[in-house]
Amino acid sequence: MTNGILYTPLQASEIDELATVLQEDAVYEFIGGMPAQADVVLGLQNAIQGPPADTDGEYWINYVGRLVQTGEMIGRLEATVHDGLAEVAFLYKSSFWGRGYASEGLLWLHEQLRRYIDVSSLWATTHPANLRCAALLKRCGYLPVPTQGLPKLYSYDEGDIVFRRSVC
């Protein structure tokens, strides 16, 4: 728990609720535009199932955040762990932006990764116009890195800004 937010592993029973919470143009503005709700649901179902069986040593970690006082769902944290690194991401309902929830949630996720999974570095990518995300990543200790010679990053799209942080 952090700052009145309880993070728990995403459960199948929460998928429809999370898809509804995140169904906003602002949430998807820099990640391809808002998908149909059915596509969000399918993506979350796949997230819970984890990586394909032939993917050795890869883990998908998905948490949902809820306000402790009301139980209201506010968003999600995720990490894809592979090749000794973790790619992290976060999506929060826009009415909860600017309150420190994503920063605290991301730092909480770092602690989970440090404690329970052997990773050497944390990575995140964002669209260059997503200034809020870039600022949040910097507040959480990430530094922008050149895109030449990157490790394999599933979240990287050509033109993205790439950020790296040590696990400690």
Short mmCIF file of all heavy atoms in Angstrom, two decimals, residues 52-96:
data_model
loop_
_atom_site.label_atom_id
_atom_site.label_comp_id
_atom_site.label_asym_id
_atom_site.label_seq_id
_atom_site.Cartn_x
_atom_site.Cartn_y
_atom_site.Cartn_z
N PRO A 52 3.55 -16.19 -23.98
CA PRO A 52 3.38 -17.49 -24.63
C PRO A 52 4.26 -18.55 -23.96
O PRO A 52 5.32 -18.25 -23.42
CB PRO A 52 3.83 -17.24 -26.07
CG PRO A 52 3.72 -15.76 -26.26
CD PRO A 52 3.96 -15.15 -24.92
N ALA A 53 3.80 -19.78 -24.02
CA ALA A 53 4.50 -20.89 -23.36
C ALA A 53 5.93 -21.07 -23.85
O ALA A 53 6.80 -21.51 -23.10
CB ALA A 53 3.71 -22.18 -23.54
N ASP A 54 6.19 -20.71 -25.09
CA ASP A 54 7.54 -20.91 -25.64
C ASP A 54 8.50 -19.76 -25.29
O ASP A 54 9.61 -19.70 -25.78
CB ASP A 54 7.48 -21.10 -27.15
CG ASP A 54 6.94 -19.88 -27.89
OD1 ASP A 54 6.43 -18.96 -27.24
OD2 ASP A 54 7.05 -19.87 -29.13
N THR A 55 8.06 -18.86 -24.42
CA THR A 55 8.88 -17.72 -24.01
C THR A 55 9.53 -18.07 -22.68
O THR A 55 8.91 -17.98 -21.63
CB THR A 55 8.01 -16.45 -23.86
OG1 THR A 55 7.23 -16.30 -25.03
CG2 THR A 55 8.87 -15.23 -23.67
N ASP A 56 10.78 -18.44 -22.72
CA ASP A 56 11.49 -18.89 -21.53
C ASP A 56 12.00 -17.71 -20.72
O ASP A 56 12.62 -16.79 -21.26
CB ASP A 56 12.66 -19.78 -21.95
CG ASP A 56 13.32 -20.44 -20.77
OD1 ASP A 56 12.62 -20.80 -19.81
OD2 ASP A 56 14.57 -20.60 -20.80
N GLY A 57 11.72 -17.70 -19.42
CA GLY A 57 12.26 -16.69 -18.53
C GLY A 57 11.60 -15.34 -18.62
O GLY A 57 12.16 -14.34 -18.16
N GLU A 58 10.42 -15.26 -19.20
CA GLU A 58 9.70 -13.99 -19.31
C GLU A 58 8.51 -14.02 -18.37
O GLU A 58 7.82 -15.03 -18.26
CB GLU A 58 9.22 -13.78 -20.75
CG GLU A 58 8.57 -12.44 -20.97
CD GLU A 58 8.26 -12.20 -22.44
OE1 GLU A 58 9.12 -12.50 -23.30
OE2 GLU A 58 7.16 -11.70 -22.72
N TYR A 59 8.29 -12.89 -17.69
CA TYR A 59 7.19 -12.77 -16.74
C TYR A 59 6.41 -11.50 -17.03
O TYR A 59 7.00 -10.47 -17.35
CB TYR A 59 7.70 -12.70 -15.30
CG TYR A 59 8.58 -13.85 -14.92
CD1 TYR A 59 9.96 -13.75 -15.06
CD2 TYR A 59 8.04 -15.02 -14.44
CE1 TYR A 59 10.79 -14.81 -14.73
CE2 TYR A 59 8.86 -16.10 -14.10
CZ TYR A 59 10.23 -15.97 -14.24
OH TYR A 59 11.04 -17.03 -13.92
N TRP A 60 5.11 -11.58 -16.88
CA TRP A 60 4.26 -10.40 -17.01
C TRP A 60 3.64 -10.15 -15.65
O TRP A 60 2.98 -11.03 -15.08
CB TRP A 60 3.17 -10.60 -18.04
CG TRP A 60 3.66 -10.75 -19.45
CD1 TRP A 60 4.95 -10.66 -19.90
CD2 TRP A 60 2.87 -11.01 -20.60
NE1 TRP A 60 5.01 -10.85 -21.25
CE2 TRP A 60 3.73 -11.07 -21.72
CE3 TRP A 60 1.52 -11.19 -20.80
CZ2 TRP A 60 3.29 -11.31 -23.01
CZ3 TRP A 60 1.06 -11.44 -22.09
CH2 TRP A 60 1.94 -11.48 -23.18
N ILE A 61 3.83 -8.96 -15.15
CA ILE A 61 3.35 -8.59 -13.83
C ILE A 61 2.33 -7.48 -14.00
O ILE A 61 2.61 -6.46 -14.65
CB ILE A 61 4.53 -8.12 -12.96
CG1 ILE A 61 5.53 -9.27 -12.83
CG2 ILE A 61 4.05 -7.62 -11.60
CD1 ILE A 61 6.86 -8.85 -12.28
N ASN A 62 1.16 -7.66 -13.42
CA ASN A 62 0.06 -6.70 -13.59
C ASN A 62 -0.62 -6.47 -12.26
O ASN A 62 -1.09 -7.41 -11.62
CB ASN A 62 -0.96 -7.25 -14.59
CG ASN A 62 -0.36 -7.39 -15.96
OD1 ASN A 62 -0.31 -6.42 -16.70
ND2 ASN A 62 0.11 -8.58 -16.29
N TYR A 63 -0.68 -5.20 -11.86
CA TYR A 63 -1.34 -4.81 -10.62
C TYR A 63 -2.43 -3.80 -10.93
O TYR A 63 -2.30 -3.01 -11.86
CB TYR A 63 -0.35 -4.15 -9.65
CG TYR A 63 0.65 -5.10 -9.06
CD1 TYR A 63 1.94 -5.18 -9.57
CD2 TYR A 63 0.32 -5.89 -7.96
CE1 TYR A 63 2.87 -6.04 -9.01
CE2 TYR A 63 1.24 -6.76 -7.41
CZ TYR A 63 2.52 -6.83 -7.93
OH TYR A 63 3.43 -7.67 -7.38
N VAL A 64 -3.45 -3.82 -10.10
CA VAL A 64 -4.49 -2.82 -10.16
C VAL A 64 -4.41 -2.00 -8.88
O VAL A 64 -4.10 -2.54 -7.81
CB VAL A 64 -5.88 -3.48 -10.35
CG1 VAL A 64 -6.25 -4.37 -9.20
CG2 VAL A 64 -6.95 -2.44 -10.59
N GLY A 65 -4.64 -0.69 -9.00
CA GLY A 65 -4.61 0.19 -7.84
C GLY A 65 -6.01 0.64 -7.47
O GLY A 65 -6.81 0.99 -8.34
N ARG A 66 -6.29 0.63 -6.17
CA ARG A 66 -7.58 1.07 -5.65
C ARG A 66 -7.37 2.01 -4.47
O ARG A 66 -6.45 1.81 -3.67
CB ARG A 66 -8.42 -0.11 -5.15
CG ARG A 66 -8.89 -1.03 -6.23
CD ARG A 66 -9.77 -2.15 -5.63
NE ARG A 66 -10.22 -3.05 -6.66
CZ ARG A 66 -11.30 -2.84 -7.42
NH1 ARG A 66 -12.04 -1.77 -7.24
NH2 ARG A 66 -11.64 -3.71 -8.35
N LEU A 67 -8.23 3.01 -4.36
CA LEU A 67 -8.22 3.86 -3.17
C LEU A 67 -8.62 3.01 -1.98
O LEU A 67 -9.64 2.30 -2.02
CB LEU A 67 -9.20 5.01 -3.33
CG LEU A 67 -8.92 6.02 -4.45
CD1 LEU A 67 -10.06 7.03 -4.54
CD2 LEU A 67 -7.60 6.73 -4.21
N VAL A 68 -7.84 3.05 -0.92
CA VAL A 68 -8.13 2.25 0.27
C VAL A 68 -9.46 2.66 0.89
O VAL A 68 -10.27 1.81 1.26
CB VAL A 68 -6.98 2.36 1.30
CG1 VAL A 68 -7.35 1.70 2.61
CG2 VAL A 68 -5.71 1.76 0.73
N GLN A 69 -9.71 3.95 0.99
CA GLN A 69 -10.91 4.43 1.68
C GLN A 69 -12.21 4.05 0.99
O GLN A 69 -13.20 3.74 1.65
CB GLN A 69 -10.86 5.94 1.87
CG GLN A 69 -9.85 6.36 2.92
CD GLN A 69 -9.95 7.84 3.23
OE1 GLN A 69 -10.35 8.64 2.40
NE2 GLN A 69 -9.58 8.20 4.45
N THR A 70 -12.21 4.06 -0.34
CA THR A 70 -13.47 3.84 -1.06
C THR A 70 -13.50 2.55 -1.89
O THR A 70 -14.56 2.11 -2.30
CB THR A 70 -13.75 5.00 -2.03
OG1 THR A 70 -12.73 5.02 -3.04
CG2 THR A 70 -13.80 6.33 -1.30
N GLY A 71 -12.32 1.98 -2.16
CA GLY A 71 -12.25 0.81 -3.03
C GLY A 71 -12.31 1.16 -4.51
O GLY A 71 -12.28 0.26 -5.36
N GLU A 72 -12.37 2.45 -4.83
CA GLU A 72 -12.45 2.87 -6.23
C GLU A 72 -11.16 2.51 -6.96
O GLU A 72 -10.06 2.81 -6.51
CB GLU A 72 -12.69 4.38 -6.33
CG GLU A 72 -12.81 4.87 -7.75
CD GLU A 72 -13.04 6.38 -7.84
OE1 GLU A 72 -13.06 7.06 -6.80
OE2 GLU A 72 -13.21 6.86 -8.97
N MET A 73 -11.30 1.89 -8.12
CA MET A 73 -10.16 1.55 -8.96
C MET A 73 -9.67 2.81 -9.67
O MET A 73 -10.47 3.57 -10.21
CB MET A 73 -10.56 0.48 -9.98
CG MET A 73 -9.40 -0.07 -10.79
SD MET A 73 -9.93 -1.33 -11.97
CE MET A 73 -10.38 -2.68 -10.88
N ILE A 74 -8.35 3.01 -9.67
CA ILE A 74 -7.80 4.22 -10.28
C ILE A 74 -6.87 3.93 -11.45
O ILE A 74 -6.55 4.83 -12.22
CB ILE A 74 -7.09 5.12 -9.26
CG1 ILE A 74 -5.83 4.44 -8.71
CG2 ILE A 74 -8.04 5.51 -8.14
CD1 ILE A 74 -4.93 5.39 -7.95
N GLY A 75 -6.38 2.69 -11.59
CA GLY A 75 -5.49 2.40 -12.70
C GLY A 75 -4.70 1.13 -12.49
O GLY A 75 -5.06 0.29 -11.66
N ARG A 76 -3.62 1.04 -13.25
CA ARG A 76 -2.82 -0.19 -13.21
C ARG A 76 -1.34 0.11 -13.36
O ARG A 76 -0.93 1.12 -13.94
CB ARG A 76 -3.27 -1.16 -14.28
CG ARG A 76 -2.92 -0.75 -15.70
CD ARG A 76 -3.42 -1.72 -16.73
NE ARG A 76 -2.66 -2.95 -16.71
CZ ARG A 76 -2.28 -3.62 -17.79
NH1 ARG A 76 -2.61 -3.18 -18.99
NH2 ARG A 76 -1.60 -4.72 -17.71
N LEU A 77 -0.55 -0.83 -12.86
CA LEU A 77 0.90 -0.86 -13.03
C LEU A 77 1.23 -2.18 -13.70
O LEU A 77 0.56 -3.19 -13.46
CB LEU A 77 1.61 -0.83 -11.67
CG LEU A 77 1.40 0.37 -10.79
CD1 LEU A 77 1.93 0.09 -9.40
CD2 LEU A 77 2.10 1.59 -11.39
N GLU A 78 2.27 -2.18 -14.52
CA GLU A 78 2.67 -3.44 -15.14
C GLU A 78 4.17 -3.46 -15.37
O GLU A 78 4.82 -2.42 -15.41
CB GLU A 78 1.95 -3.65 -16.47
CG GLU A 78 2.30 -2.62 -17.52
CD GLU A 78 1.57 -2.86 -18.82
OE1 GLU A 78 0.38 -2.50 -18.91
OE2 GLU A 78 2.19 -3.40 -19.76
N ALA A 79 4.68 -4.67 -15.47
CA ALA A 79 6.09 -4.86 -15.82
C ALA A 79 6.20 -6.12 -16.66
O ALA A 79 5.54 -7.12 -16.40
CB ALA A 79 6.96 -4.99 -14.58
N THR A 80 7.01 -6.02 -17.68
CA THR A 80 7.37 -7.19 -18.48
C THR A 80 8.84 -7.46 -18.18
O THR A 80 9.71 -6.62 -18.44
CB THR A 80 7.17 -6.91 -19.98
OG1 THR A 80 5.81 -6.58 -20.21
CG2 THR A 80 7.56 -8.13 -20.81
N VAL A 81 9.10 -8.60 -17.58
CA VAL A 81 10.45 -8.97 -17.16
C VAL A 81 11.00 -9.98 -18.17
O VAL A 81 10.37 -11.00 -18.44
CB VAL A 81 10.43 -9.58 -15.74
CG1 VAL A 81 11.83 -9.99 -15.31
CG2 VAL A 81 9.82 -8.60 -14.76
N HIS A 82 12.15 -9.63 -18.73
CA HIS A 82 12.80 -10.53 -19.70
C HIS A 82 14.26 -10.14 -19.83
O HIS A 82 14.63 -8.98 -19.62
CB HIS A 82 12.10 -10.46 -21.07
CG HIS A 82 12.16 -9.10 -21.71
ND1 HIS A 82 13.17 -8.73 -22.59
CD2 HIS A 82 11.36 -8.01 -21.59
CE1 HIS A 82 12.96 -7.48 -22.99
NE2 HIS A 82 11.88 -7.02 -22.39
N ASP A 83 15.09 -11.10 -20.15
CA ASP A 83 16.50 -10.86 -20.45
C ASP A 83 17.20 -10.04 -19.36
O ASP A 83 18.05 -9.19 -19.65
CB ASP A 83 16.64 -10.16 -21.81
CG ASP A 83 16.02 -10.98 -22.93
OD1 ASP A 83 16.36 -12.18 -23.02
OD2 ASP A 83 15.19 -10.44 -23.68
N GLY A 84 16.84 -10.25 -18.09
CA GLY A 84 17.49 -9.58 -16.99
C GLY A 84 17.07 -8.14 -16.77
O GLY A 84 17.68 -7.42 -15.98
N LEU A 85 16.02 -7.70 -17.44
CA LEU A 85 15.53 -6.33 -17.26
C LEU A 85 14.02 -6.35 -17.09
O LEU A 85 13.37 -7.37 -17.32
CB LEU A 85 15.94 -5.44 -18.45
CG LEU A 85 15.44 -5.82 -19.86
CD1 LEU A 85 14.05 -5.26 -20.13
CD2 LEU A 85 16.41 -5.31 -20.89
N ALA A 86 13.49 -5.22 -16.67
CA ALA A 86 12.03 -5.08 -16.55
C ALA A 86 11.61 -3.81 -17.27
O ALA A 86 12.18 -2.74 -17.06
CB ALA A 86 11.61 -5.01 -15.08
N GLU A 87 10.63 -3.95 -18.14
CA GLU A 87 10.00 -2.80 -18.79
C GLU A 87 8.75 -2.47 -17.99
O GLU A 87 7.89 -3.33 -17.81
CB GLU A 87 9.62 -3.13 -20.23
CG GLU A 87 10.81 -3.39 -21.11
CD GLU A 87 10.41 -3.63 -22.55
OE1 GLU A 87 9.77 -2.74 -23.14
OE2 GLU A 87 10.72 -4.72 -23.07
N VAL A 88 8.67 -1.24 -17.51
CA VAL A 88 7.56 -0.85 -16.65
C VAL A 88 6.62 0.10 -17.38
O VAL A 88 7.03 0.81 -18.30
CB VAL A 88 8.06 -0.21 -15.34
CG1 VAL A 88 8.94 -1.18 -14.56
CG2 VAL A 88 8.80 1.09 -15.61
N ALA A 89 5.37 0.10 -16.94
CA ALA A 89 4.37 0.99 -17.52
C ALA A 89 3.28 1.23 -16.48
O ALA A 89 3.14 0.47 -15.52
CB ALA A 89 3.78 0.40 -18.79
N PHE A 90 2.51 2.27 -16.71
CA PHE A 90 1.43 2.64 -15.80
C PHE A 90 0.34 3.32 -16.60
O PHE A 90 0.61 4.04 -17.56
CB PHE A 90 1.95 3.57 -14.69
CG PHE A 90 2.82 4.68 -15.20
CD1 PHE A 90 2.28 5.88 -15.61
CD2 PHE A 90 4.19 4.51 -15.30
CE1 PHE A 90 3.09 6.90 -16.10
CE2 PHE A 90 5.01 5.52 -15.79
CZ PHE A 90 4.45 6.71 -16.19
N LEU A 91 -0.88 3.07 -16.23
CA LEU A 91 -2.05 3.74 -16.80
C LEU A 91 -3.00 4.07 -15.65
O LEU A 91 -3.38 3.18 -14.90
CB LEU A 91 -2.78 2.85 -17.81
CG LEU A 91 -2.10 2.54 -19.13
CD1 LEU A 91 -2.93 1.55 -19.93
CD2 LEU A 91 -1.89 3.81 -19.92
N TYR A 92 -3.35 5.34 -15.52
CA TYR A 92 -4.26 5.79 -14.48
C TYR A 92 -5.39 6.60 -15.11
O TYR A 92 -5.17 7.33 -16.08
CB TYR A 92 -3.54 6.68 -13.46
CG TYR A 92 -2.62 5.91 -12.54
CD1 TYR A 92 -1.37 5.49 -12.96
CD2 TYR A 92 -3.02 5.60 -11.25
CE1 TYR A 92 -0.53 4.79 -12.12
CE2 TYR A 92 -2.19 4.89 -10.40
CZ TYR A 92 -0.95 4.49 -10.84
OH TYR A 92 -0.13 3.78 -10.01
N LYS A 93 -6.55 6.51 -14.51
CA LYS A 93 -7.68 7.33 -14.91
C LYS A 93 -7.26 8.80 -14.79
O LYS A 93 -6.64 9.20 -13.81
CB LYS A 93 -8.87 7.02 -13.99
CG LYS A 93 -10.13 7.72 -14.34
CD LYS A 93 -11.26 7.25 -13.42
CE LYS A 93 -12.55 7.95 -13.81
NZ LYS A 93 -13.67 7.42 -13.03
N SER A 94 -7.60 9.61 -15.78
CA SER A 94 -7.08 10.97 -15.83
C SER A 94 -7.49 11.83 -14.64
O SER A 94 -6.76 12.75 -14.26
CB SER A 94 -7.49 11.65 -17.14
OG SER A 94 -8.88 11.83 -17.20
N SER A 95 -8.62 11.54 -14.01
CA SER A 95 -9.03 12.34 -12.85
C SER A 95 -8.11 12.13 -11.66
O SER A 95 -8.17 12.88 -10.68
CB SER A 95 -10.48 12.03 -12.47
OG SER A 95 -10.64 10.68 -12.13
N PHE A 96 -7.21 11.15 -11.74
CA PHE A 96 -6.24 10.90 -10.66
C PHE A 96 -4.84 11.36 -11.02
O PHE A 96 -3.91 11.18 -10.24
CB PHE A 96 -6.25 9.42 -10.28
CG PHE A 96 -7.54 9.02 -9.64
CD1 PHE A 96 -8.53 8.41 -10.37
CD2 PHE A 96 -7.78 9.31 -8.30
CE1 PHE A 96 -9.73 8.06 -9.79
CE2 PHE A 96 -8.99 8.97 -7.71
CZ PHE A 96 -9.96 8.35 -8.45
#
